[in-house]
Amino acid sequence: MSKKPFFKYFPLKLKVLAALLIFFSFNVFAQKNVYNIKIDVTKTKGPIKPIWAFFGYDEPNYTYMKDGRKLLTELSALSPVPVYVRAHNMLTTGNGEAHLKWGSTNAYTEDASGNPVYNWRIADSIFDTYIKRGMKPIAEIGFMPEALSVKPQPYEHHWTPAAKYNDIYTGWAYPPKDYQKWGELVYQWVKHCVERYGKKEVESWWWEVWNEPDIGYWQGTREEYFQLYDFAAAGVKRACQNARIGGPTTTSPRGEKANNFLTAFLQHCAGGTNYATGQKGSPLDYVSFHAKGSPEFIKGHVRMNMAVQLTDIYKGFEAVASSPKFKNLSIIIGECDPEGCAACSVNFNPQNAYRNGTMYSSYTAACYARIYDIAEKLGVNIEGAVSWSFEFENQPWFAGFRDLATNSVDKPVLNVFRMFGQMKGKKLVVENDNALPVEQLRTKGVHDSIADVNALATVTDKTAYILLWNYYDDDTLAPSADVQLLLKNLPSKSVTVSQYRIDDEHSNSYTIWKKMGSPQQVSKEQYPILERSGKLQLFQKPVTSSVTNGLFTANVKLPHHSVSLLKITWK
């Protein structure tokens, strides 16, 4: 006996209502996955700042190691402007051997009589590596040399991802026992750099004092940090008057403690008593703070939370905008990441499983694009956003660290920066009928609504660059997005379109590695395949298309958590 259709038992009115509900649901679903993006190439918003050309890491000694040198070469090559690099532990005492969250230069020791002994060999080798590649340091003045620390023992930590994070806070995190000696150390370092690299070169760097003094990285009081800053700034300016000095490099401004610290620091520099000079105010050439997201592992998958990071950025910009004296200063987001620990691997932190695949790359594209929007809204001068992601030497393949490459093979996220590196000229106004407002993104994120599908666009005389992304906070299966792109007022009868793509099949070494069986012993035949797959790839061969009455249209199907860059040129 055949079964009757389920609806057969419904009264007629209910059948009609059910059919309408199904029809409506499918249409709403379809509409939510179609995005009409319109861009007029004559509507510009001023030059685009290369805020993405900033990178950083804890372990400075990786800089001159094999994989570190290769990655730095690639970072330099992806950018038309000098890339800035920030590293911790530039003044930490030790033998120059790195391990997770540790590095050293042994720049300062003392003889038996307590006289300073300066040794710039390792610090020079780090900066030399940058300068040779056309890069520039964000020269972080820290951490405390063992001979200067008020509590030197224990000094070197041996942290692992299985340990408590607070285990890293040892003797290097304490105030100096002599602030005069601290100031002189900074003076001698900057003076040496001027002699080695030239005054003009050093004036193009950014110098900063310490890292995250509002948490365990600084085992002193807030006022003691201000004292540390004043003596360091005095040393910098004495060695090179036009060198740029900044701070306070505090943690996420969404937190009351960090926000209060940032605000108090600005007030101190504006009119407080300078601990080094006794005068009012302290030198401040730029402001820095950190912005981090907060992923979690729920119901068997990773859920990111861009709202947390965007709130950090918003609150930090608000604090600067509220300062009568410093509201126009350059801002560098000293660490700008989906969460707070690059060396915390996925083995002990399952929420970090986003790092190897395209979730990291799509998040990065969407987040960096919104930095411009928030800066524009609040009227602040954003200079850079440091991606705290580099590489970890001699670690397992795709171990789940927050890095740009694994065993010298580039991961998908690095290709987002390659895309940014191609974008030149002036920013364009983007119209998107399904765009999520920035205010919604920073308060609710992208996990209770439709996907964040949008664009960042720039234009030069003969080229438009359109960065498209399809991002969602949850690492779950989802449909592709159909982008219907319309460019208006093109001054040509034809254009050539090149599309670069990051998705499961393009610019993705992780997918290829998994298809190989996830080997930890990669063969000499497999390595070049992985290396090639990690580079930025074209989605298809460049095509020439006609332009009618200045209009050009293109349909782009964006898979879940993918990023595309359309390079559209004309004669």
Side-chain angles (χ1 to χ4, degrees), residues 259 312-323 378 380 442:
N259 202 304
D312 275 344
I313 294 165
Y314 196 96
K315 292 291 186 181
F317 287 178
E318 267 191 335
V320 178
S322 300
S323 171
L378 295 178
V380 297
R442 82 171 190 91

Side-chain angles (χ1 to χ4, degrees), residues 186-330:
V186 176
Y187 165 75
Q188 292 292 340
W189 188 20
V190 179
K191 175 174 174 287
H192 169 78
C193 288
V194 171
E195 293 169 351
R196 186 175 182 85
Y197 305 108
K199 180 171 175 285
K200 184 177 179 180
E201 174 63 31
V202 172
E203 287 176 348
S204 71
W205 301 357
W206 303 95
W207 295 82
E208 68 176 5
V209 182
W210 217 255
N211 174 70
E212 299 184 339
D214 56 312
I215 62 171
Y217 278 90
W218 177 244
Q219 295 292 311
T221 65
R222 188 168 73 183
E223 287 299 320
E224 285 174 323
Y225 171 76
F226 296 166
Q227 188 173 3
L228 184 88
Y229 179 89
D230 290 349
F231 276 91
V236 169
K237 295 295 187 178
R238 182 159 62 99
C240 184
Q241 181 61 39
N242 292 325
R244 299 180 291 189
I245 183 74
T249 68
T250 42
T251 59
S252 304
R254 69 181 184 274
E256 184 177 353
K257 180 181 177 182
N259 202 304
N260 289 344
F261 197 115
L262 175 59
T263 301
F265 173 77
L266 294 173
Q267 292 170 349
H268 170 76
C269 291
T273 301
N274 187 302
Y275 284 96
T277 66
Q279 299 175 353
K280 292 293 183 182
S282 303
L284 184 64
D285 300 304
Y286 73 100
V287 182
S288 63
F289 61 85
H290 297 172
K292 304 284 186 176
S294 182
E296 55 183 336
F297 196 74
I298 60 170
K299 298 180 180 178
H301 71 273
V302 175
R303 169 174 284 184
M304 308 295 282
N305 196 341
M306 190 185 297
V308 173
Q309 187 173 359
L310 293 182
T311 298
D312 275 344
I313 294 165
Y314 196 96
K315 292 291 186 181
F317 287 178
E318 267 191 335
V320 178
S322 300
S323 171
K325 184 171 183 178
F326 299 127
K327 62 183 179 181
N328 296 319
L329 281 189
S330 295

